Amino acid sequence: MAEYRNEGKVFVITDCGSTTTKAILVEKMNGVYRQTFRGEAPTTVEAPVEDVTVGVKNALADLSALSGRLLIDDDNNIVRPAVGKDGCDMYISTSSAGGGLQMVVLGVVKNISASSALKAALGAGAIVTDCIACDDERDTLEQVERLRKLRPDMVLLAGGTEGGQVEGVVELAELLALAEPKPRFGNKFQLPVVYAGNSSVADEVARILEKSAEVIVEKNVRPTVEEETLSFARDKIHELFLAHVMKQAPGFSKLIALCDAKVMPTPSAVGKMLQLLGRKKSMNVVCVDIGGATTDVFSVVNGQFHRTVSANLGMSYSAAFVLKESGIPYIKRWIGTDISDGELLNQLLNKTIRPTTIPQTSVELAVEHALAREALRLSFAQHTAFAVGLKGGVGERNIDGGFSGGRVDEMNVGDLDWIIGSGGVLSHAPDDMQTVGMLMDSFLPVGITIIAKDSIFMMPHLGVLSEIDEDAAVEVFFNDCIIPLCVSVVPVGKWTDKKKCLSYRVEQSDGTVASGTLSWGDVVHVRNVSDGTLEVIPDSRVNVGAGMGKKVSHAFSGMKQGIVLDARGRPLSAYGNFRFDTVLKKGTR
Amino acid sequence: MTAGTFPSLQVSGKTTIRKVRKVPPGASVCVRAGDVVNATDVIARAMVPGHVHSVAAAQILGVSKSRIIDALTVNVGDAVTRGQVFGRRRVMFGLFNSAVSSPVDGKVETISKVSGHVMIREAPKPVEVQAYVNGTVISADDVEGVVIQSTCALVQGVFGVGKEVIARLETDAAADVNGKAVCVFDPLTLELLNRLLRNGAVAVIAPSMDGESLLSFCGDDVNLAATGDEQVGGTLVLTEGFGCLRMTQRTREILSACAGAQVSVCGVTQVRAGVIRPELVGPAVAGANDSFGAREIGTVIQITRGEFHGEEAVISAIPSTPQTLDSGVTVLCYEVTLISDDRKIMVPRPNVA
C-alpha cells in the first residue's frame, strides 16, 4: 500500500472565542487548499480551568476524531510536522476569548483626533469601551469616574496635529493620571498607554503619566487635519496585545508558545482577510457579523478598510437596545402576522434575558428576523457614517458613472460587489431566501451585488492563515468559507407603479437560457441558475450600475439561490408594499 | 439517559454557596477565616477616593496658562472649601477683577501650567461592606476580598433591578410590608409594585411582569442586560420573565418556606459573559435536597419560550436526532409531558429551565 503524501502544508487553525474554541483543518486536495474538517470545544479561560490551551487541545482532539488525523499525541503535544495522515505543519490561532482586547480611546476633538484614534483601535481588533474627547458632552467628573470604572487592557491617547494643539493633549493626560485606570488583568502590571498624538507633547505626556501608566509613544494618527496614519498605532497595539495583555490572560502565554505565528485578535484577522480580498480580487466587499450582543461591520471599498462595532446592536443581549433605537413600529413593519405591541415587547425582553433560547413558532422566527433587519440596518448606518473621509479635510470627488458621484472616500452601496453575512440568525436561517431577504432589506444594495453568507464564520481563521500563505487563504475563502447565495439586481430610477423597468437574460453554463422582464414593485427570484452570464437591459430612465438605460453584463458562478431582481425602489418604504417575502411570492418565477 | 446540562437558574431549598465579597482598593477587612458571620455584619471598611472636579482657572482669570500659579492663593495639597476664592486677578489698578472659586470642599490635587486647570478632589468617603449572607468566612484578604460559605435556600431569578437588601420575607402583600422583602406569587402589576414600595417594602419578588410596566417602573433607559445601579426605590426580582407567567411550584414552595425569615435579595443582573442573576438567599429549607443537576427522563422542567412559555413539564424522552420545529428551525429537543394537561410536545433543549 502506497504511503499517504500530503500535497502541500497541513494547517490547523483555531479561533478562541468567548464561549467556543473552533478548530479547522486546512490541507491541499487535488491541487487546491480546502478546509476539510472542523472541530470545537468550550473555551477554558474561566474558572475552574483558567487555561485557554486546554480548550484548544480539546478542540484539536475533536478535530482529530472527526478527521482521523492524529493531532494530539500521548503527551498532550500538538503533532508537528505532518507525516502521512498524522500531524500538521503549522498551528496558528486567533483569539477573542476573555473579552478580546478592550481599549479606551482619548482624543482632543471628537470628530478629528478622537475619530482617528477610534479607527486605529477598531482596526486593531479592539472592543472600544469608551471614546473620551475634550469636546464630548460629559464634564471632567463624569469622564474621570468613567475611566476609573472601566478596566481596559490598553489606552490609546491622541490629539493635536504635528506642531498643533498642546493644551488639550495635556488635559487628557492629566485626566488619565487622576483616574488611574487599572488594567483588566494583573494588578502588578502598569496599564499600557499608546500615545499617538502631537509628538512635541510626548515627553510631557510621559511625565504626567509616569506613576500611573506605561507610556509608549507612536507616530501621530492625525499628523495634519487632511492626513491620517493609523498603521503605526495599529501595529503597536497588536504588539502590546501580544506582549502584555495576552500574557496576563489565563493560559495565553502558553497559547503564544504553542502557535507557529503571532496570535491575532479575531476582528483584526477578519480585517486582514477582507483587505486581502480587496487587494487580490479588486473587490468592494462588506461583511457583517451579527452576534447576540454586538454587530461588527467590516468593509473594503476602493481599497479603504473600515471596521465598526455596534456595541449595543445584537440579537439577544442587545435585543432591548435594538428595540429602543428602532422603536416598535420599525420592527413590526417586517412582521407579516398580527402581533400586539405588548406581546412583541415581552418577546424581545424575554430574548434579552434568556439569550440562548430558540424561536419555536413561525411568529417567533419572524420577530427575530425583523429584529435582525433593524440591527443590521442600524449597524450599517453607523458604519457608513463612520467610513467617510476625514472631517475637516478636502476630499477628492468621483466624477465617473455608476451610482457614486460623491467623494471617493465615502462608502456608497452602489459600489459594493459583495455583501457577506455571518452570525447565527443569518448563517442558520431555516431558508436561504430568509437570509437574502434580511441582508437585502437592511443593506439596501443597488445595482448588481453578490449576496453571500459565511457558513461557520471562518474568516478569522483565514485572516491569520493569510499571514502565512495568502493564496491558501483566498482559495479556502472561495471554496469553503462563503456560500454565494444570489446575484441581486436592484434598479434605481424613475418609479412608475407596475410598469416595466428592465428586461434580463441569463445564459447558463450548459447553454440554457432564461429571460424575462421586471416591473416596479416586484421582486423576481430566478431559481436554479447557479452559473452563467446575466445581461440586464434597463429602460431609459433606469440605472443598474452603468448609467441610465445602459446594459450591464455580469458573469457569475456557484449561486445557491440563483438571481434575485428587486424593483421595490429605494428607499424601500417610499413605494407600496415593501416586504420582501410577500412581494417575492408574487414575483417568483 | 441524560442530555447534558444547559446553563440554568438555580432554585434549591438547600444548597451550599460561596459568595465572593469584593472590597474596594485600600480596604481593611475586619473578619478572619473561620469566623461565623451574619448577613448584616460589616466585614470590610474602606475610604473611597472622592470625586475630582476640574476648574479652568487660567481661562476664568484670563491669565496665561504658564503663569497660573502666580494668580493662585493655594498650592497642591491645600484644603479648599466650597465657594472659597483661591485665585484672583486685578486689571487696570483694580477696576476690573476676576476670581476663581472652588465648586466643592476638597483638596487641590494638581495645578497644570500647560492646560491652566486646577483639579480639586473631594474628601474620601467611608464605605462599609456587609457579609450579605449568613455563613462562615473561608478566606479574607484586604486585596482579594472575603469568601463566605453558606448553606442556604437559593432562588435565582431571571431578571432583576436594584441593589442588595437584607430583610424579613413577607408573603402576604396585604400585610404590613414596611422594611420587608415581599413575595408575590402571581404576575405583578405596576400598580401593586408601586403600592408595595410606597408602603415601605424594600424588595419585591414575583414571577413575571409585562414589559411595558417594567419600562414604566425603571424608565426607558434601563439596560436590561446589565442592571443593579438603577434608582427605582427598591429591589425587584422576577423569577420567570416578562408577560403573564406563573411561578413554578418549586420556587413557590421554597419562598413559602422562607416566609418570616431574614433573606438577602439582590437585583443585579448581567446576562452577558460572567453571567450574574438576581437572587434571594434564605435559610435552608428543612428536608430539602440540593437537586440541581443534569436533565434526564423524569426531570421537571419549565418551558421558557413558545406557545407554552412558563408551563412546567416532565421530560418524557430525549431524542438523539434534531427535530424540525414550526419555525422551520432544526434543533435537538426534549419530548416533554405538560403537567397541566398531560400533552406531549417537543421543546428545543435550550428552551427549558
Side-chain angles (χ1 to χ4, degrees):
Chain A
M1 194 174 155
E3 189 190 332
Y4 178 92
R5 277 179 182 276
N6 294 301
E7 287 184 52
K9 281 189 174 165
V10 178
F11 298 97
V12 168
I13 313 166
T14 55
D15 173 37
C16 306
S18 298
T19 52
T20 310
T21 298
K22 290 146 276 184
I24 63 168
L25 185 65
V26 171
E27 53 192 324
K28 220 166 198 176
M29 311 272 289
N30 303 321
V32 287
Y33 275 104
R34 303 293 303 260
Q35 179 260 318
T36 49
F37 293 94
R38 177 178 182 268
E40 63 178 44
T43 297
T44 48
V45 285
E46 309 271 349
V49 183
E50 292 184 326
D51 180 353
V52 74
T53 61
V54 172
V56 164
K57 288 181 178 173
N58 289 341
L60 264 51
D62 191 40
L63 192 60
S64 271
L66 292 166
S67 63
R69 179 179 283 272
L70 181 71
L71 294 170
I72 302 284
D73 66 18
D74 293 341
D75 298 326
N76 208 24
N77 294 316
I78 298 175
V79 178
R80 277 173 287 198
V83 177
K85 279 186 171 175
D86 289 333
C88 63
D89 294 302
M90 291 193 97
Y91 165 64
I92 50 181
S93 189
T94 64
S95 175
S96 58
L101 167 62
Q102 300 190 9
M103 289 185 72
V104 169
V105 164
L106 295 100
V108 174
V109 182
K110 197 159 67 175
N111 283 333
I112 302 180
S113 51
S115 161
S116 295
L118 184 63
K119 283 183 193 172
L122 288 169
I127 293 164
V128 177
T129 49
D130 206 341
C131 179
I132 290 173
C134 293
D135 62 341
D136 71 26
E137 306 77 26
R138 296 170 288 189
D139 62 21
T140 312
L141 174 61
E142 276 180 275
Q143 290 174 332
V144 170
E145 289 309 308
R146 180 77 180 138
L147 279 169
R148 182 174 289 157
K149 203 172 171 187
L150 295 168
R151 296 192 65 170
D153 295 315
M154 211 184 292
V155 169
L156 176 60
L157 169 61
T161 53
E162 285 306 288
Q165 236 313 338
V166 171
E167 291 87 351
V169 183
V170 170
E171 213 176 288
L172 288 173
E174 286 170 348
L175 199 76
L176 256 182
L178 284 170
E180 280 189 90
K182 298 282 181 283
R184 193 161 54 111
F185 296 116
N187 291 332
K188 289 171 194 158
F189 113 105
Q190 277 199 314
L191 179 73
V193 173
V194 176
Y195 174 66
N198 183 355
S199 60
S200 67
V201 204
D203 290 344
E204 181 68 6
V205 168
R207 189 193 60 74
I208 295 168
L209 291 169
E210 67 185 345
K211 286 183 188 158
S212 48
E214 182 193 348
V215 178
I216 303 101
V217 179
E218 200 33 89
K219 286 195 176 167
N220 195 341
V221 288
R222 202 70 183 260
T224 66
V225 174
E226 288 84 12
E227 195 187 349
E228 205 170 47
T229 47
L230 308 179
S231 61
F232 298 101
R234 213 147 57 189
D235 291 348
K236 184 56 76 180
I237 292 167
H238 276 173
E239 193 184 303
L240 291 168
F241 176 65
L242 290 171
H244 290 255
V245 182
M246 286 198 73
K247 285 191 175 167
Q248 305 297 327
F252 279 83
S253 295
K254 286 163 79 179
L255 178 66
I256 290 167
L258 207 58
C259 287
D260 294 309
K262 281 182 183 174
V263 178
M264 291 174 77
T266 301
S268 165
V270 176
K272 284 263 176 209
M273 190 61 216
L274 273 195
Q275 288 177 82
L276 175 64
L277 290 172
R279 204 173 65 240
K280 286 221 160 194
K281 300 283 178 184
S282 301
M283 283 164 56
N284 285 337
V285 52
V286 64
C287 174
V288 61
D289 178 26
I290 179 165
T294 62
T295 298
D296 278 32
V297 183
F298 306 81
S299 67
V300 175
V301 176
N302 303 325
Q304 291 286 315
F305 169 68
H306 290 289
R307 170 188 173 232
T308 48
V309 181
S310 299
N312 290 321
L313 299 173
M315 289 302 299
S316 53
Y317 306 105
S318 303
F321 269 103
V322 180
L323 177 71
K324 192 175 148 193
E325 286 293 306
S326 281
I328 283 182
Y330 268 73
I331 293 178
K332 264 180 97 170
R333 66 184 170 150
W334 302 115
I335 303 169
T337 48
D338 268 350
I339 182 167
S340 70
D341 289 4
E343 208 179 322
L344 178 63
L345 180 64
N346 285 338
Q347 202 180 124
L348 293 175
L349 297 189
N350 279 322
K351 177 71 180 177
T352 303
I353 58 171
R354 294 193 192 272
T356 57
T357 57
I358 287 170
Q360 209 161 324
T361 65
S362 53
V363 175
E364 286 176 346
L365 186 75
V367 169
E368 291 216 354
H369 286 181
L371 184 75
R373 280 171 163 88
E374 285 303 299
L376 291 168
R377 180 181 69 80
L378 293 166
S379 303
F380 190 53
Q382 286 180 7
H383 187 79
T384 48
F386 183 77
V388 293
L390 306 180
K391 297 213 171 106
V394 181
E396 191 187 333
R397 301 201 77 85
N398 189 347
I399 51 166
D400 67 6
F403 297 105
S404 298
R407 287 166 56 142
V408 292
D409 48 9
E410 279 175 358
M411 181 181 287
N412 191 306
V413 284
D415 296 336
L416 294 177
D417 301 311
W418 285 69
I419 295 173
I420 303 170
S422 184
V425 70
L426 294 171
S427 299
H428 304 307
D431 182 338
D432 281 340
M433 286 308 286
Q434 291 169 337
T435 306
V436 170
M438 283 185 269
L439 288 171
M440 288 188 70
D441 285 347
S442 49
F443 283 79
L444 299 177
V446 293
I448 295 188
T449 316
I450 306 292
I451 307 291
K453 68 176 181 181
D454 176 355
S455 55
I456 55 168
F457 202 48
M458 209 194 296
M459 299 263 273
H461 303 81
L462 299 186
V464 70
L465 175 62
S466 73
E467 294 278 284
I468 313 286
D469 188 334
E470 290 190 348
D471 294 333
V474 173
E475 281 175 14
V476 177
F477 178 83
F478 283 108
N479 287 321
D480 304 297
C481 172
I482 51 158
I483 301 171
L485 294 174
C486 72
V487 179
S488 84
V489 179
V490 182
V492 291
K494 171 81 176 139
W495 169 285
T496 315
D497 199 23
K498 296 297 166 197
K499 286 279 162 65
K500 174 180 159 274
C501 59
L502 61 81
S503 57
Y504 64 89
R505 184 176 181 276
V506 188
E507 185 170 341
Q508 295 188 70
S509 315
D510 62 5
T512 54
V513 172
S515 61
T517 59
L518 181 71
S519 299
W520 286 117
D522 281 351
V523 177
V524 171
H525 180 197
V526 185
R527 292 196 181 100
N528 304 321
V529 283
S530 64
D531 306 270
T533 305
L534 167 70
E535 203 173 81
V536 181
I537 304 161
D539 285 2
S540 60
R541 289 200 281 180
V542 177
N543 184 0
V544 283
M548 292 292 183
K550 289 187 181 167
K551 186 173 90 173
V552 172
S553 289
H554 186 85
F556 62 95
S557 64
M559 297 300 139
K560 211 176 157 199
Q561 292 292 335
I563 297 165
V564 173
L565 300 108
D566 172 5
R568 289 175 293 168
R570 296 288 186 265
L572 273 189
S573 51
Y575 314 99
N577 185 356
F578 62 88
R579 282 206 24 246
F580 186 82
D581 52 352
T582 52
V583 184
L584 179 73
K585 278 172 199 160
K586 286 183 196 167
T588 300
R589 302 278 160 96
Chain B
M1 184 184 178
T2 65
T5 19
F6 283 98
S8 188
L9 303 174
Q10 197 170 355
V11 177
S12 176
K14 185 181 178 187
T15 186
T16 298
I17 60 170
R18 283 190 174 193
K19 279 278 162 201
V20 179
R21 306 295 289 160
K22 287 187 180 164
V23 295
S28 169
V29 167
C30 41
V31 289
R32 287 183 299 183
D35 286 356
V36 175
V37 290
N38 185 279
T40 53
D41 290 349
V42 173
I43 56 168
R45 291 187 173 86
M47 296 299 280
V48 175
H51 294 319
V52 177
H53 299 259
S54 171
V55 182
Q59 192 189 336
I60 294 168
L61 295 174
V63 298
S64 123
K65 289 161 186 166
S66 59
R67 303 194 61 179
I68 180 65
I69 290 175
D70 299 338
L72 300 180
T73 56
V74 291
N75 291 310
V76 171
D78 286 355
V80 287
T81 54
R82 184 187 167 93
Q84 177 188 332
V85 173
F86 65 81
R88 278 188 194 282
R89 182 179 176 231
R90 289 174 175 226
V91 182
M92 303 280 287
F93 308 103
L95 195 60
F96 302 106
N97 290 324
S98 53
V100 60
S101 58
S102 174
V104 289
D105 294 339
K107 262 187 183 175
V108 178
E109 180 107 353
T110 61
I111 300 169
S112 173
K113 287 194 278 185
V114 181
S115 64
H117 285 211
V118 175
M119 301 289 186
I120 298 168
R121 191 185 289 276
E122 290 180 51
K125 291 172 187 160
V127 169
E128 289 183 342
V129 180
Q130 286 185 312
Y132 177 63
V133 291
N134 300 338
T136 306
V137 176
I138 298 297
S139 65
D141 184 279
D142 286 346
V143 177
E144 301 295 327
V146 178
V147 179
I148 300 165
Q149 182 165 301
S150 175
T151 297
C152 55
L154 174 66
V155 173
Q156 284 187 318
V158 69
F159 176 77
V161 290
K163 294 179 178 172
E164 292 175 353
V165 291
I166 298 157
R168 298 263 159 214
L169 185 66
E170 176 60 71
T171 52
D172 179 3
D176 174 13
V177 297
N178 191 22
K180 292 179 182 171
V182 183
C183 178
V184 178
F185 294 114
D186 296 319
L188 185 64
T189 61
L190 182 61
E191 187 194 1
L192 178 58
L193 175 62
N194 283 333
R195 181 163 60 80
L196 290 170
L197 295 178
R198 256 197 327 271
N199 291 343
V202 291
V204 177
I205 301 99
S208 59
M209 186 177 190
D210 78 76
E212 282 176 46
S213 300
L214 189 274
L215 294 181
S216 300
F217 176 64
C218 298
D220 285 347
D221 287 337
V222 65
N223 174 4
L224 296 183
T227 70
D229 290 331
E230 305 73 26
Q231 303 293 321
V232 287
T235 295
L236 171 69
V237 175
L238 300 180
T239 59
E240 320 301 332
F242 297 102
C244 190
L245 309 172
R246 284 173 291 175
M247 189 178 278
T248 62
Q249 189 59 29
R250 183 177 174 77
T251 305
R252 183 185 281 260
E253 284 168 7
I254 294 167
L255 292 174
S256 298
C258 291
Q262 175 188 278
V263 293
S264 306
V265 185
C266 181
V268 175
T269 306
Q270 184 178 311
V271 274
R272 289 167 86 144
V275 176
I276 302 169
R277 290 293 184 181
E279 64 184 8
L280 177 145
V281 181
V285 178
N289 293 316
D290 191 347
S291 57
F292 186 73
R295 297 198 181 102
E296 51 200 3
I297 291 172
T299 302
V300 177
I301 54 95
Q302 189 200 8
I303 300 167
T304 57
R305 203 158 177 190
E307 191 185 345
F308 302 99
H309 188 170
E311 291 230 16
E312 285 180 278
V314 179
I315 296 176
S316 45
I318 305 177
S320 57
T321 53
Q323 311 289 308
T324 300
L325 310 169
D326 286 349
S327 58
V329 174
T330 303
V331 65
L332 285 169
C333 289
Y334 293 117
E335 183 201 82
V336 301
T337 306
L338 296 175
I339 288 177
S340 57
D341 63 5
D342 278 348
R343 249 188 304 171
K344 280 188 165 56
I345 57 165
M346 284 290 174
V347 181
R349 292 189 193 177
N351 291 9
V352 304

